[in-house]
Amino acid sequence: MLHLVSANASYEDSIALTDITLHIPVGQKLALIGRSGAGKSTLLKLLYDQRPTDIALVPQDYGLVTSLSLFHNVYMGQLGRHPLWYNLLNLIKPLKKPVGEVQSILSVVQLSDKLFEPIGQLSGGQQQRAAIARAIMQNGDILFADEPVSSLDEQQSNLVMKVLCQRFETLVLAMHDIDLALKYCDRIVGLDNGRITIDEPTGSLVRKDLLDIYGE
Amino acid sequence: MYAKTCLIFTVNKLTVSKGLRFRRSPRWKVSWLFVFVALACLPFADLSISTYDPWAELGRLFGGLLQPSLVAIEKPFEALLQTLAFAILGVSSGSLIGFGLAQLFHLRLVRIVCASVRAIHELFWALIFLQIFGLHPLTGLLALGLPYAATFAKVYAEILEEGDRRAYDTIRQSAGPTSAFFYARLPDLWQHFVTYTGYRLECGLRSSAVLGFVGLPTLGYYLSTAFLEGAYAEVWALLILFYLVIASLRYWLRPKLLPLYILIAPFIIANDSEISVDNISRFFTQDIVPLPLRNSEGLSGLWQWFTELFLTEALPGIINTLLLTQIALVLTGLIALIWFPLISRLFFERFGRLLGHLFLVIMRSTPEYILAFILLTLWGPSMLPAVIALALHNGAIIAHLMGRYSNTLSLRVDATAGMNRYAYEVVPRIYNQFLAFLFYRWEIIQRETAILGILGITTLGFYIDSAIQDIRLDRAMVLIAITAALNVCIDSLSHYIRSKLRLSIGSQQISAESRR
Amino acid sequence: MTTLLRRLGISLLISLSLISVSTSVFSAPKTLVFSAIPDQNQSQLVQRFGKVADYLTKTLGVPVKYVPVNSYAAAITAFRNNQVQLAWFGGLSGVRARLLVPDSEAIAQGFEDTQFETYFIAHHSTGLKPSDNFPESIAGKSFTFGSKGSTSGRLMPEFYIREHLGKAPDEAFNLVGFSGNHSRTIALVQSGAYQVGATNYKVWEKELAAGKIDTDKVSVIWKTPTYPDYQWTVRGDVDSVWGDGFKARIKQALLDMKDPALLDAFPRSAFVSASNDDYQPILDTAKEIGLID
């Protein structure tokens, strides 16, 4: 479904990715692991550009609008599916139907009590879950997420990973938490210095080996 | 960039139920409050359109655009040089004095004096100094330098305050405050000072040109004359000349060349009029002394004189000034919100943005006076041309600042496009900055109503101009003082609202540009 | 960076001192300066009045220079501040100037100024027709004066408006404006921006002759009774600067000005003798309607 063959990428004069070949079939849950600067975000971007229209995205900086409420930020996942007048009306006065839909998604990520709180007043972990809620609101089959649980505690991380696996058919997650990657994903791609150095099904990998090379 | 806007991070003590009720933000409420105030002002403002045959005149106006000509203007390039020379000397002396005052800005007295000096429009300073020094170059120099010094003092002081003091505090004891200042503070802040001062020089050019409207030998002199005579070919030639100067600013206005310009400028503005001590003392001891005191009618006479002046001129002037300001302010905001996408890379490709830039440059470089003049011909005399002229000019300035600010935003790659992007992604992110810019300009818009008063719109500026034309300087001074007081009020109200809403502009560079 | 700052400071200081030095150096030979109120078309003013300056220089034997000003008040102030010693004023501005400069004197007026008139003009859409009586139906229309300090464009029309309508202009009209000068008044009424206006009859006739007026759109509806208007006023202290009898020589030079090319600048057919007393009616009128305290 997503394919890269011998792809390269570079920023100005530094090379970010070298000779990447990757095929991701439908239904796969893939984790990209590697130290900071290994090229995870760049690879994610490269893959995303293949099919930008039907991928739900959780960027590393969440991409939230801090002055709008949590409700509106989550609703943004559906902007494309409603006429403009509806969106504008909903901006000024939240409408019943979208409020209900957003509320049900927020209850899944345990944020339903913050519905109309401005995003700027939420903590880092709450903002991260808001970004995930927005991705869920998009109601797609594929999710790309860059460090989706980096600001969450262990209990919440597990909750979010579980939700993501349920809601999306295909997952591509850049992660540095190797335990979570092993627990929820079925394929691990390891990056080091812009190259793929490992690409195996989860079952065949040992935690300690990965930690040595890719641990933070 | 958006991380900056979430500086407002209060401890979250809100209960569960609170988060579940949709509450509109205070900024939203304040915005609507201003809209309602402006709507409430509408019935009291005369916004009628009363022309019958504007087309012949307008035809000639735009016919002039097709064949701009400098032939009938006696010394266009001389006027241009005068404009440049006054601007360069006025702004640089203002900046030097302002720099000194900024060091004393913690003193209440200095702040009050600066605020009152700033509150009086350059045109009124020029009218006052014309009485004292006549056509001597000092008139123009002071009319520009004084209000600019006061503004520089304020902004420089803000830059100093926002800067990092740690290095300075570390070495101050051993090095002494002056050396410590030059070593530990100035180097960090220098760029901010230079950026702001350079920006003000552009404003100074506009101001210098506008001073011609009251008789200084700058571009405005010929512009207003050409306008009054309907010599539109000359009007356009002068305007185009002016746009070219503004647009080419960055090519010839180099910090290294500035000392040279400053040395040449005095020879350009010098003329053979003299300063007479008698005139100066007469101004202070007779001209501005209220008539009843000159005629020794005592305090009761003075009170009667003042009440009469207040009720027949000041009060209607204040009312019209406020009506015009509030309506123009809201319209300015609306125009800025509509126009800023023109230069934003979030909405337009390179070519579209280029056209947008061109449009905004023309709108913001055209003095309000000219816009109002054109609209006055089109719609006849009412407050309408004034409102529209102020809103177009100021709206273009804020649109430019917002557009540039929006270019620093990075949206996530899957953000929507078009109106959805505008309403959900962009406007909410820049609304803070937008309100801050708008509130900064509030007081400026009010000050600018003065210029339109000279065109005949009955703001306070109209009555001040009338008093000057009648050579009743005592009345003019009272009216100018009232105008200044009104301006200080608006300035502090704006300051109060900005601090209540925690509106700040963020990066120093952009903030510098919005404060004129 | 600090050197730049220092260099800026030094050059600024030098230049400020240069202003005072250069201005005093330039003023070494004593020049008689004259000006004129900007009542009409201002283009080529320096050229037009430059010829008058040349004539006066030749006749008086001292350097004479013309400086342009762009408002009535600026002309008065320059005269008062002794930056101008001789001025071509209107009736009202002359009265004001002479009140402010005690020994100053009206010495000559245009032949036409002994019997000056103001024309009330109206846009065709008002349906107003020319008449010998004051057109009282102008009440409630929009009205424009010329400059705020003009005699023919402000003082006299306001006087007759008050006399016939019994009200101040702001109350008598729907809207009152000040166009700035007489040419502009004509243009604004012609465009319909204002329905009615008051203008100087000399300017009207000059522009009519020049083909700038479309009489289908704007026409004269009433002419005021005559009054004294423009005059040359000179400061009282000129004799002490340029020698005894200098004032009389200026007056003679003006009365002797016969060249139509020179007289065209004003525009007048000739200059005749005048005195301060000739303008008493103007002073009285100005006091009556509150333009002079």
Side-chain angles (χ1 to χ4, degrees), chain B residues 380-396:
Chain B
S382 73
M383 225 179 249
L384 189 66
V387 168
I388 305 287
L390 283 172
L392 289 179
H393 174 75
N394 289 293

Side-chain angles (χ1 to χ4, degrees), chain C:
Chain C
M1 168 211 54
T2 40
T3 47
L4 185 61
L5 189 68
R6 204 175 54 216
R7 244 190 298 159
L8 283 181
I10 292 171
S11 42
L12 204 60
L13 278 180
I14 297 176
S15 66
L16 287 180
S17 47
L18 276 175
I19 292 175
S20 35
V21 173
S22 56
T23 50
S24 53
V25 168
F26 284 134
S27 60
K30 199 67 193 163
T31 305
L32 178 76
V33 184
F34 81 95
S35 191
I37 51 168
D39 65 324
Q40 48 152 340
N41 211 319
Q42 293 233 79
S43 58
Q44 308 296 328
L45 264 189
V46 177
Q47 196 190 329
R48 261 158 44 200
F49 282 106
K51 286 185 210 150
V52 178
D54 292 345
Y55 166 79
L56 289 175
T57 304
K58 216 164 64 198
T59 321
L60 296 174
V62 301
V64 178
K65 199 184 108 178
Y66 161 78
V67 293
V69 291
N70 74 342
S71 76
Y72 286 50
I76 298 171
T77 307
F79 185 76
R80 183 190 195 193
N81 287 350
N82 201 11
Q83 288 164 337
V84 160
Q85 290 80 37
L86 175 69
W88 173 244
F89 281 128
L92 176 61
S93 43
V95 165
R96 277 191 172 131
R98 290 192 296 276
L99 281 178
L100 292 167
V101 183
D103 294 327
S104 57
E105 214 180 300
I107 50 172
Q109 60 185 347
F111 174 72
E112 293 84 345
D113 293 305
T114 51
Q115 307 214 322
F116 216 79
E117 287 176 42
T118 292
Y119 285 177
F120 278 56
I121 57 174
H123 190 255
H124 70 96
S125 67
T126 58
L128 293 166
K129 293 279 171 281
S131 104
D132 289 337
N133 298 319
F134 184 87
E136 294 186 0
S137 49
I138 62 174
K141 303 241 178 325
S142 62
F143 185 92
T144 184
F145 290 108
S147 167
K148 286 171 185 167
S150 161
T151 311
S152 51
R154 166 82 189 278
L155 176 73
M156 297 318 288
E158 176 161 351
F159 174 75
Y160 287 108
I161 287 164
R162 284 174 186 265
E163 186 174 275
H164 290 282
L165 300 179
K167 288 178 197 159
D170 338 354
E171 292 158 19
F173 297 112
N174 168 34
L175 198 89
V176 176
F178 293 93
S179 69
N181 70 24
H182 301 299
S183 321
R184 185 85 196 137
T185 300
I186 298 170
L188 285 175
V189 177
Q190 180 159 305
S191 78
Y194 288 92
Q195 292 169 294
V196 189
T199 191
N200 175 318
Y201 90 103
K202 285 298 286 182
V203 175
W204 171 271
E205 285 174 357
K206 194 175 151 194
E207 302 222 332
L208 195 62
K212 288 187 185 167
I213 298 174
D214 179 353
T215 46
D216 287 342
K217 294 208 167 127
V218 57
S219 52
V220 177
I221 55 164
W222 187 61
K223 299 173 179 179
T224 62
T226 61
Y227 53 86
D229 203 343
Y230 293 74
Q231 87 297 143
W232 284 101
T233 294
V234 66
R235 283 181 66 95
D237 50 12
V238 288
D239 283 1
S240 64
V241 177
W242 284 277
D244 280 345
F246 191 68
K247 193 193 286 178
R249 287 176 56 211
I250 296 177
K251 179 168 180 171
Q252 201 50 51
L254 293 171
L255 298 184
D256 290 345
M257 199 191 289
K258 300 285 182 235
D259 183 356
L262 295 179
L263 291 167
D264 224 32
F266 296 93
R268 295 294 183 267
S269 54
F271 288 115
V272 297
S273 180
S275 73
N276 289 0
D277 291 342
D278 293 339
Y279 292 89
Q280 192 60 39
I282 297 288
L283 178 60
D284 294 342
T285 311
K287 281 193 168 162
E288 197 174 325
I289 65 175
L291 283 178
I292 290 179
D293 291 315

Side-chain angles (χ1 to χ4, degrees), chain B residues 210-391:
Chain B
V210 166
L211 287 186
F213 295 151
V214 296
L216 269 78
T218 59
L219 278 176
Y221 183 96
Y222 298 94
L223 208 49
S224 64
T225 316
F227 250 124
L228 280 178
E229 281 155 27
Y232 298 121
E234 284 79 34
V235 167
W236 287 110
L238 288 168
L239 277 178
I240 291 168
L241 203 60
F242 187 60
Y243 294 144
L244 287 179
V245 169
I246 299 253
S248 64
L249 215 54
R250 66 174 126 162
Y251 300 109
W252 55 267
L253 193 67
R254 301 288 169 109
K256 282 204 169 136
L257 290 174
L258 208 51
L260 180 70
Y261 294 148
I262 291 176
L263 282 176
I264 298 172
F267 291 101
I268 295 172
I269 63 171
N271 62 25
D272 50 8
S273 50
E274 287 166 50
I275 294 176
S276 137
V277 181
D278 290 348
N279 290 337
I280 299 172
S281 75
R282 191 198 60 213
F283 177 79
F284 289 105
T285 57
Q286 293 175 34
D287 292 358
I288 62 170
V289 178
L291 183 72
L293 294 184
R294 266 181 278 158
N295 297 348
S296 29
E297 288 167 29
L299 280 181
S300 66
L302 181 66
W303 177 245
Q304 203 188 345
W305 175 84
F306 178 78
T307 8
E308 190 265 342
L309 176 63
F310 190 81
L311 292 178
T312 58
E313 301 195 346
L315 199 58
I318 291 172
I319 292 171
N320 282 329
T321 302
L322 290 177
L323 289 176
L324 178 55
T325 306
Q326 292 315 112
I327 299 173
L329 179 73
V330 169
L331 201 60
T332 298
L334 203 66
I335 285 178
L337 282 174
I338 296 173
W339 282 358
F340 85 85
L342 293 180
I343 60 161
S344 173
R345 61 175 177 78
L346 303 177
F347 297 97
F348 286 99
E349 292 301 319
R350 197 183 180 83
F351 182 68
R353 287 206 305 275
L354 198 71
L355 292 180
H357 270 294
L358 192 69
F359 174 70
L360 289 188
V361 162
I362 289 177
M363 289 320 279
R364 67 175 201 270
S365 312
T366 311
E368 313 80 314
Y369 183 92
I370 308 286
L371 285 173
F373 196 99
I374 294 173
L375 297 173
L376 208 67
T377 313
L378 186 59
W379 294 326
S382 73
M383 225 179 249
L384 189 66
V387 168
I388 305 287
L390 283 172

